[in-house]
Amino acid sequence: MTSAPTTTQPQSPVGRIPVLAVKPAVDCGAFPTKSVVDEQFDIEATVFREGHDAVNASVILTDPDGATTLVPMRCTNPGLDRWVCTVSADRTGRWSYRVEGWSDPFGTWEHDATIKVAAGVDVELMLEEGARVLERAAALDHGEQDAALLRAAIATLRDEAKAPGERLAAGTDPAVVDAMHRTPLRDAVSPTREYAWWVERERALAGAWYEIFPRSEGAHFDETTGKWRTGTFRTAMDRLPAIAGMGFDVVYLTPVHPIGSINRKGPNNTLTAGPDDPGSPYAIGSKDGGHDALHPELGTWEDFDAFVARADSLGLEVAIDLALQCAPDHPWVTEHPEWFTTRADGTIAYAENPPKKYQDIYPLNFDNDPAGIYAEVRRVIQVWIDHGVKIFRVDNPHTKPVEFWQWLIADVAKDHPDVIWLAEAFTRPAMMHTLAKVGFQQSYTYYAWRNEAEELQEYVEELAGDAAAYMRPSFWPTTHDILTPYMQFGGPTAWKLRAALAATLVPTYGIYAGYELVEHVARPGAEEQIDNEKYEFKDRRWADYEPGGAKEGQTLAPYLTRLNEIRRSHPSLMWLRNITFHKVDDGAFIVFSKKRGDDVVIVVANLDPHSTRESWVHLDLEALGLHPGEWFVAHDLVTDAYWHWSEHNFVRLGVDGEPLHIIELRRD
């Protein structure tokens, strides 16, 4: 005797209405999607069903309080089943979204009835079915106006005294269709999983940073003693009005902690420091304290608090450097030697990035006592938060465990969701992207090394594409570690060009102090400045460049000011995902636009810093919100020139004038 086979109905990976390929879904929803308040982005999905009945889709948004909002989706390519809608959030917090596919009885009836009534097939049956569909819809929570509209349509559909065409027209009237769109009748609703969505404050996406070494602001060489006198928080405070006056939003301080004495670096990264050499501020820790302490020569906590308060009064946020590494005389080295790597000869391993060696730095080993290190770093972070710091630029986060950052950022966010983390991780793409996924709001990028039009466009399209759901780029033309050949040899034209592109291609960019002075001379054999202030004091004598000074006018400060004025007056430049690249005949040019509502900015740049070039630019008018053949007024925000432009436009840019146009599209 043979037993009958048993079958088990497999659990379907799709619902009654299949909903697939949801975007954004960071690693299939393993990590949250990110946006800032009022930032728009698209949610997409593939939605379809069997047979010929109409299908539809909605996005359900859930706010931090658990309240839900239904947002209708639209099919962007009938027959290929891709649905999309644009969403945004009106406040910060932990949101979520899901996509729901559903059977659309009204859409099915409207399609079939329009065909059959016109053909005289099943006329009364189709009109009655329409009335019944609208009766179901009228029972939903419509507003009174829509409910009255549906009741009137139902009555007309059943009014046999009227012609069939008139009755059908009542049920398919655009006003009825709009009412059904606002409160749809949804059958066989099939939801996806919930996708986490973190909504953060605007500074997480957009801002203009200015980097300083506090000890250099106010530093000067004392001719009477033959020694340098360091700048302090108080003297650095005097520089803040100029930084704010240029329109920057964030003043970023390199490490302000005590600097180690053991293996201290000398000028230009030499291995021997003189008795008065200040050393690298990245060699953190001495007898005066560690990451929770201030370098005594910079001032007291009262001085630091005064600096933060002054910055705040000028509209500047203070960012500090978080460099989780220690000088050999850091207190952690003696108190917690297990936090470091001990080599076979018993010595502690210093930091290396072959062929570079950092003899003044011991890296932490997170595997030896992770709980202890985690707790101590969290305590240190709280010290700075308590003193008004809400932004941390993290030095080399890719050399620490990713799970540590995921824990730390999440733990801080529990009580301080407005804290922002910038990853300085010039490393493999997988690491850079993963750091963003686990919590870093912003990331340094390879912008400094992307100089050709084709590679720059490709890179920005990558950053503004799927990656924009979790990773926000910060473009820096130079830093205290980076001075590319392009900047070394491109002259002032290159420095204007790269600042302008950084300020317009992405919402966040940064400038390192001295950029205004075109500090372009590199240390031989290195892509960083000679006489680098990482290892010595630098007196830039800012007063010489002010009105009446010996070098008045020999600075790019007015140019940077104008760039920041343009950014602040054009909200389209404060978004990332809204960029469109346009065609141009000369491959040395790059052309792109950004649109946000009625605000449209077009940038045309000649990337060759050594010559003036001419070309024809070919604009995608539809991407600019214009009709084919339409003309507009092109207002150059750099030179204040005006032209009449349309689809095809001639440009001439380069060293004998300005290297780029930043154009405001005007319709008047």
Side-chain angles (χ1 to χ4, degrees):
M1 182 175 177
T2 304
S3 60
T6 58
T7 59
T8 301
Q9 182 69 28
Q11 183 176 356
S12 174
V14 295
R16 175 64 184 84
I17 304 297
V19 182
L20 305 172
V22 175
K23 291 176 58 178
V26 182
D27 284 7
C28 300
F31 300 101
T33 294
K34 298 177 186 175
S35 77
V36 299
V37 173
D38 294 331
E39 179 190 3
Q40 294 181 349
F41 65 95
D42 288 343
I43 296 177
E44 305 177 36
T46 298
V47 184
F48 60 96
R49 66 166 300 169
E50 81 291 346
H52 300 288
D53 285 358
V55 69
N56 215 316
S58 310
V59 168
I60 309 299
L61 307 180
T62 302
D63 71 17
D65 296 327
T68 60
T69 302
L70 183 150
V71 183
M73 302 184 81
R74 65 188 185 280
C75 187
T76 59
N77 50 2
L80 295 179
D81 305 312
R82 196 64 179 165
W83 293 74
V84 65
C85 71
T86 301
V87 302
S88 63
D90 59 3
R91 59 192 173 107
T92 61
R94 297 295 194 257
W95 292 62
S96 68
Y97 58 86
R98 66 180 182 271
V99 178
E100 293 184 344
W102 42 277
S103 178
D104 184 355
F106 177 76
T108 300
W109 171 80
E110 181 185 28
H111 173 269
D112 293 350
T114 301
I115 295 172
K116 287 186 175 184
V117 171
V121 177
D122 298 335
V123 173
E124 288 300 325
L125 178 61
M126 294 309 300
L127 295 174
E128 176 58 25
E129 287 184 351
R132 294 187 181 190
V133 167
L134 292 185
E135 279 182 331
R136 290 181 58 202
L140 300 176
D141 188 18
H142 286 276
E144 181 53 38
Q145 184 174 355
D146 281 355
L149 179 69
L150 294 179
R151 289 193 296 268
I154 293 167
T156 302
L157 282 166
R158 287 177 171 154
D159 188 350
E160 296 181 5
K162 291 183 169 58
E166 183 181 354
R167 295 161 66 187
L168 176 66
T172 59
D173 185 273
V176 171
V177 174
D178 288 344
M180 295 297 294
H181 185 71
R182 284 189 287 272
T183 308
L185 181 61
R186 307 191 308 153
D187 287 348
V189 175
S190 302
T192 65
R193 59 168 290 177
E194 291 286 334
Y195 292 91
W197 173 22
W198 292 358
V199 182
E200 300 168 310
R201 62 190 181 103
E202 185 183 22
R203 188 66 66 234
L205 173 67
W209 290 45
Y210 190 93
E211 175 191 355
I212 65 171
F213 281 68
R215 71 186 186 191
S216 288
E217 301 301 331
H220 63 278
F221 187 75
D222 190 331
E223 298 288 350
T224 59
T225 64
K227 295 183 178 181
W228 278 92
R229 296 193 63 179
T230 182
T232 66
F233 291 125
R234 295 287 179 176
T235 60
M237 194 187 310
D238 295 336
R239 178 70 179 150
L240 292 176
I243 296 171
M246 286 187 284
F248 289 95
D249 307 304
V250 177
V251 56
Y252 149 47
L253 314 183
T254 53
V256 294
H257 315 295
I259 297 172
S261 298
I262 300 174
N263 297 337
R264 177 176 288 193
K265 293 294 186 72
N268 288 308
N269 201 28
T270 56
L271 298 180
T272 304
D276 298 318
D277 289 329
S280 168
Y282 289 91
I284 296 169
S286 74
K287 61 180 177 59
D288 295 310
H291 287 76
D292 57 352
L294 298 169
H295 196 301
E297 292 184 359
L298 291 176
T300 65
W301 281 110
E302 182 181 0
D303 298 325
F304 180 82
D305 292 343
F307 180 93
V308 173
R310 179 60 172 146
D312 181 69
S313 72
L314 295 167
L316 288 164
E317 292 194 56
V318 175
I320 69 163
D321 222 319
L322 177 65
L324 293 181
Q325 58 210 23
C326 300
D329 37 340
H330 192 294
W332 290 348
V333 177
T334 54
E335 296 170 6
H336 297 282
E338 71 278 9
W339 290 0
F340 304 90
T341 299
T342 302
R343 303 196 307 176
D345 62 359
T347 62
I348 293 178
Y350 53 71
E352 294 187 64
N353 183 16
K356 292 183 178 180
K357 294 184 177 182
Y358 305 94
Q359 296 89 341
D360 55 343
I361 293 172
Y362 289 165
L364 292 169
N365 185 329
F366 284 76
D367 293 327
N368 291 348
D369 178 21
I373 295 176
Y374 282 30
E376 175 64 1
V377 174
R378 179 65 183 86
R379 184 191 67 80
V380 165
I381 293 298
Q382 193 61 47
V383 169
W384 295 98
I385 291 174
D386 291 344
H387 283 278
V389 174
K390 295 297 177 66
I391 304 179
F392 294 90
R393 180 267 195 193
V394 180
D395 191 69
N396 290 328
H398 55 289
T399 61
K400 288 82 181 173
V402 171
E403 65 176 2
F404 162 72
W405 295 118
Q406 184 173 28
W407 172 84
L408 178 65
I409 294 172
D411 195 71
V412 170
K414 291 176 184 176
D415 298 318
H416 307 282
D418 53 346
V419 168
I420 294 170
W421 305 81
L422 168 62
E424 187 248 8
F426 298 108
T427 184
R428 301 182 304 279
M431 174 61 82
M432 293 175 67
H433 285 259
T434 302
L435 289 169
K437 291 173 183 177
V438 303
F440 279 92
Q441 283 84 1
Q442 296 181 4
S443 176
Y444 278 54
T445 64
Y446 295 115
Y447 169 71
W449 297 277
R450 300 293 195 269
N451 299 309
E452 301 297 327
E454 184 176 1
E455 63 180 2
L456 193 55
Q457 176 176 336
E458 180 182 10
Y459 191 46
V460 172
E461 286 179 332
E462 173 192 329
L463 295 170
D466 291 346
Y470 57 88
M471 180 178 177
R472 305 185 185 103
S474 182
F475 277 10
W476 292 70
T478 67
T479 73
H480 60 263
D481 292 317
I482 300 169
L483 185 65
T484 63
Y486 188 96
M487 305 301 285
Q488 294 175 35
F489 306 111
T493 297
W495 289 65
K496 293 174 71 174
L497 180 68
R498 295 298 288 182
L501 288 175
T504 54
L505 278 166
V506 297
T508 289
Y509 86 112
I511 293 298
Y512 165 43
Y515 196 95
E516 310 95 304
L517 311 182
V518 191
E519 295 176 346
H520 69 284
V521 180
R523 177 162 57 90
E527 288 190 12
E528 64 178 40
Q529 291 181 7
I530 198 168
D531 302 328
N532 196 309
E533 65 182 312
K534 283 190 296 184
Y535 310 108
E536 58 189 85
F537 298 109
K538 177 167 286 191
D539 180 5
R540 291 187 170 91
R541 303 178 65 89
W542 295 113
D544 289 352
Y545 301 91
E546 296 174 355
K551 298 180 180 180
E552 179 182 356
Q554 299 178 36
T555 170
L556 293 182
Y559 190 80
L560 298 177
T561 302
R562 184 59 187 142
L563 291 179
N564 288 328
E565 289 172 348
I566 292 170
R567 283 168 52 88
R568 290 190 172 186
S569 60
H570 289 277
S572 61
L573 297 176
M574 298 297 100
W575 281 359
L576 172 63
R577 305 178 231 212
N578 60 337
I579 193 165
T580 299
F581 287 90
H582 301 262
K583 295 180 180 179
V584 60
D585 291 345
D586 187 337
F589 280 75
I590 191 168
V591 183
F592 60 92
S593 64
K594 289 200 163 189
K595 183 178 185 297
R596 180 173 173 181
D598 293 331
D599 180 47
V600 182
V601 173
I602 305 166
V603 178
V604 182
N606 169 15
L607 303 184
D608 178 357
H610 304 290
S611 63
T612 296
R613 304 173 76 110
E614 301 173 344
S615 188
W616 281 90
V617 170
H618 310 286
L619 298 176
D620 179 348
L621 296 184
E622 183 179 357
L624 303 178
L626 302 174
H627 300 295
E630 187 174 354
W631 289 82
F632 63 92
V633 175
H635 175 208
D636 189 336
L637 299 170
V638 177
T639 64
D640 202 31
Y642 289 82
W643 308 281
H644 281 90
W645 275 24
S646 187
E647 181 178 1
H648 307 291
N649 311 281
F650 177 79
V651 295
R652 186 177 189 275
L653 294 165
V655 293
D656 63 354
E658 292 294 337
L660 84 168
H661 296 311
I662 303 178
I663 290 170
E664 173 189 55
L665 187 154
R666 300 179 61 170
R667 291 174 172 82
D668 54 349

